[in-house]
Amino acid sequence: MPASPLEHSFIAGLDRDLTASSGATIEVIAPFSGAVLHELPLSTHNDVHDAYARARLAQLAWARAGFAHRRAVLLRAHDLVLARWDLILDAVQSETGKTRGQAFEELFQAAGVTRYNALTARRVLRGQRRRSGLPLVISTRVRYRPKGVAGVITPWNYPLSLAAMDVIPALAAGCGVVQKADNQGALSILSLRRAFIDAGVPAQLWAVVAGDGTEIGGAVTNEADYICFTGSTATGRVVAAQAAANLTGVSLELGGKNPLIVLDDADPVTAAADAAYACFSSLGQLCVSTERIYLERGIAPTFIREFARTVTGLRLGGAFDYSADVGSLTTQAQLDRVTAHVADAVEKGATILAGGSARPDVGPLFFEPTVLEGVTPDMDCFAAETFGPVVAVAVVDTEQEAILAANSSDYGLNASVLSGSPRRAMRIAEAILAGSVNINEGYRGSFSAVDAPMGGVKQSGLGRRNGPEGLLRFVDPTTISRATGLLQLPRSGREFAKLAGPMLLLARALKLLRRR
C-alpha cells in the first residue's frame, strides 16, 4: 500500500496546535497501510479547563468585533481551505481511509458551510422588531447574544465536514469553541483549523483537545455553554444526561439505520448506481448512508441483478488519487464489527449477493461492499447499525408496505426514495419518519444543503445543524420591550376600571384586522 504523502514537518506542526501538556502520546494508525501515521499528543482535564479559560477571554473580543469583521475573517478562511485542498485531502485520506473523491466531498462541504455562515449570520442574528401585545403603546425587539464557548465533540468518520458544520456557525455567531477531536481525525481537524487561524481567527478562540472520551469527554461537556455531539446513540444519551445536569443546551446527531425505497417505475440501472453510492460511500462509515433497501416487487429481479453487478464492480483502493471507488475501513474495531455482522447473518440463513469478505490483499482494513438478502429480525444487522459496507435488500408488494418497513426502526436520520415519478416519490418521502429524505439521491442532496436543517428524529438525535437553525443554536434570544409613552398602562384598580373596556375593544379589533 502507498505510504501517506504527509510530511513529518506538517504533522509535527499541526500536533503543536493541540492543547496538550502531559507529554503523553498515542499512536495513530494509517488505515491504508496499518503503519503508524504519527504520535498524537494527549490532553488532560487541566488542558481542557485551560482551553475553556483562554477561549472565554478570546470570545469576548471576538463577539465585540461584530458581524462584518467575522464575515471577512471567515471568507478569508474559505479561500485558504480551497487553496490548500491537496494537503487537506491528504490528511483526510491518511486518517480515515477514504477515497480521494469522498475526501473531496468533505472539503467541498467545509468550504460551503464556511461561506454560508459568513454570509448569513448577520441576517439571521442581527435582531429584529417583533409585534407587541399593545401596538404603538409598547415597542418590542429581539436581540441575540452569543452563548459563550461551545463544546464540540467530533467523530473520526467525517472529521472535516462535521467539524465545519458545528464549529463554523459557532464562530459566525460570536462564540468560542473547545473541540474534542477523535484521535483518528485530529490531523484533518487541525489542518482545517490552521486555515482559519491563518485567516485571522484568534488561536485561543478555537481550541482543539484530543484523548480518550472517558478521560476528557466529561470535562469538555461540563464546562461548555452549549454542546454539539456527533456519534453513537449510546454515547449521545450520556452526553445528554451530563448536559441536563448543568441545564446546558445540546444538539446531538446520532446513529441511523437508514432505508432506501426503490419504486417499480425507477430505471433499474440508474437506481443501482445511485443505491451503491448511497450504501458504500466512505465504505458505509457515514451516519446517513443506507443500510436497508426495500424494492417493489415489479422491479426487484432486475434491480437486484444490476445492483449486485454494480457493487461487485466497485474498485477498492488506497491511492491518493481518484482511481478508487471505495476505500478502507478506518479502524480494526470497525473491521471486527463488519465481519461479525456478516458472519452472524450468513450463519442464520442470509444469502450474500455481492462481497462478503475482508480484503487483506488490498490493505489491512479493507472489506468488500456486501449485499445481503434474507435478513431476518434475529440477525445482528437487521436493526442495529453496522456502520460499514453492509446492506440488506428486501422485497415489498406495495408503497404502503415500503413506508411501514422504512419507518419500523428506532432510528430516523436519513432516508431515500428512487422513482421515475417526482410526485409519487414526494408523496412517499413525506410519509417517512426521518430528519431528511432524498429523492433520486442517497444522502448528498440534504447533506450538502447547508441552508436547510439537518438532524434526526427518534433515537437519531436532538436539534439541528445547518441553516438558520444551525446558527440559532449558539445564541440566547433576549426580548427588549419599551413603553412608548403614548398611553399609560393601568397600575391600579381605578385605572384598570377605566381601561378594561377600551382594551377589550382593542383585542376584538386586532382579531378582525388579523393582527397577531
Side-chain angles (χ1 to χ4, degrees):
M1 292 299 301
S4 166
L6 293 179
E7 297 180 3
H8 175 75
S9 59
F10 172 75
I11 294 175
L14 291 181
D15 279 350
R16 284 194 293 272
D17 286 346
L18 276 171
T19 301
S21 62
S22 68
T25 63
I26 189 171
E27 291 183 348
V28 175
I29 303 301
F32 286 152
S33 65
V36 175
L37 179 63
H38 70 121
E39 297 271 348
L40 180 72
L42 296 180
S43 307
T44 66
H45 280 80
N46 287 337
D47 292 327
V48 174
H49 177 76
D50 291 345
Y52 270 105
R54 291 191 293 267
R56 291 193 192 286
L57 289 175
Q59 185 269 331
L60 295 175
W62 179 251
R64 286 196 298 266
F67 288 111
H69 174 74
R70 296 196 292 271
R71 167 181 166 142
V73 171
L74 295 181
L75 289 178
R76 284 198 297 271
H78 167 275
D79 293 345
L80 285 177
V81 168
L82 295 182
R84 299 174 184 180
W85 66 271
D86 52 347
L87 197 58
I88 295 175
L89 292 188
D90 288 347
V92 174
Q93 283 195 273
S94 297
E95 289 187 305
T96 66
K98 292 180 189 289
T99 65
R100 196 71 165 178
Q102 286 143 25
F104 180 82
E105 282 188 348
E106 282 218 64
L107 180 128
F108 190 81
Q109 179 81 353
V113 167
T114 303
R115 185 173 63 254
Y116 173 82
N117 284 285
L119 298 175
T120 306
R122 181 182 180 88
R123 174 177 60 81
V124 173
L125 303 178
R126 64 184 172 185
Q128 56 189 295
R129 188 180 298 277
R130 297 291 180 93
R131 293 189 186 278
S132 170
L134 292 170
L136 304 180
V137 178
I138 299 292
S139 169
T140 300
R141 296 189 65 86
V142 172
R143 302 279 189 186
Y144 294 105
R145 180 181 293 110
K147 286 182 179 292
V149 179
V152 175
I153 302 175
T154 307
W156 48 264
N157 62 319
Y158 268 68
L160 207 65
S161 52
L162 293 178
M165 286 190 282
D166 285 336
V167 173
I168 309 311
L171 296 178
C175 289
V177 172
V178 174
Q179 181 179 16
K180 183 197 171 299
D182 188 277
N183 298 346
Q184 199 67 41
L187 283 182
S188 300
I189 287 171
L190 291 169
S191 66
L192 179 69
R193 175 184 178 272
R194 174 46 53 190
F196 281 77
I197 303 307
D198 291 346
V201 171
Q204 295 179 337
L205 186 72
W206 177 1
V208 178
V209 295
D212 189 271
T214 59
E215 295 294 326
I216 65 169
V220 173
T221 300
N222 286 331
E223 295 207 40
D225 299 308
Y226 187 84
I227 302 161
C228 304
F229 173 81
T230 307
S232 71
T233 297
T235 306
R237 291 192 186 103
V238 175
V239 171
Q242 292 174 330
N246 297 324
L247 295 181
T248 303
V250 60
S251 63
L252 309 171
E253 188 189 296
L254 307 178
K257 191 70 178 178
N258 305 302
L260 182 149
I261 296 172
V262 184
L263 301 179
D264 57 11
D265 58 6
D267 175 79
V269 176
T270 301
D274 289 339
Y277 197 87
C279 298
F280 303 120
S281 176
S282 294
L283 216 57
Q285 299 172 116
L286 171 60
C287 53
V288 291
S289 65
T290 296
E291 293 195 11
R292 301 180 285 148
I293 298 179
Y294 299 106
L295 311 169
E296 278 202 297
R297 191 167 298 278
I299 199 174
T302 308
F303 175 88
I304 288 174
R305 182 176 65 250
E306 288 294 333
F307 188 51
R309 182 187 63 80
T310 300
V311 172
T312 302
L314 294 174
R315 298 170 296 176
L316 282 74
F320 287 80
D321 57 30
Y322 297 96
S323 60
D325 300 315
V326 291
S328 170
L329 291 167
T330 305
T331 67
Q332 184 64 44
Q334 288 300 108
L335 178 61
D336 293 344
R337 181 176 179 85
V338 170
T339 302
H341 272 207
V342 173
D344 172 77
V346 172
E347 181 182 345
K348 294 174 180 175
T351 301
I352 295 176
L353 302 180
S357 299
R359 291 294 301 276
D361 56 309
V362 184
L365 300 179
F366 281 84
F367 197 97
E368 294 173 337
T370 300
V371 182
L372 299 176
E373 187 177 36
V375 172
T376 55
D378 62 324
M379 299 175 187
D380 292 340
C381 67
F382 180 83
E385 184 180 28
T386 302
F387 212 65
V390 180
V391 64
V393 297
V395 179
V396 296
D397 290 314
T398 65
E399 292 180 7
Q400 188 61 33
E401 186 181 350
I403 293 169
L404 291 173
N407 288 340
S408 62
S409 172
D410 291 336
Y411 298 106
L413 187 57
N414 181 56
S416 309
V417 182
L418 305 183
S419 172
S421 167
R423 178 174 296 181
R424 189 180 176 202
M426 182 62 72
R427 183 177 68 248
I428 292 175
E430 291 175 346
I432 295 176
L433 302 178
S436 60
V437 183
N438 288 267
I439 294 174
N440 292 332
E441 175 43 52
Y443 65 86
R444 289 180 291 185
S446 58
F447 193 77
S448 65
V450 296
D451 191 35
M454 176 186 174
V457 299
K458 298 190 279 188
Q459 296 300 305
S460 288
L462 299 170
R464 295 293 184 268
R465 54 162 55 111
N466 288 349
E469 295 84 351
L471 279 160
L472 288 165
R473 291 180 293 171
F474 299 104
V475 294
D476 287 320
T478 300
T479 299
I480 302 173
S481 291
R482 177 179 62 86
T484 64
L486 182 66
L487 177 69
Q488 177 61 60
L489 294 178
R491 296 160 297 185
S492 67
R494 179 178 298 178
E495 291 175 345
F496 269 105
K498 291 173 59 178
L499 288 176
M503 291 179 74
L504 288 173
L505 288 175
L506 174 63
R508 295 186 180 107
L510 290 174
K511 178 190 174 186
L512 291 175
L513 294 171
R514 297 184 179 274
R515 293 293 295 271
R516 293 176 281 117

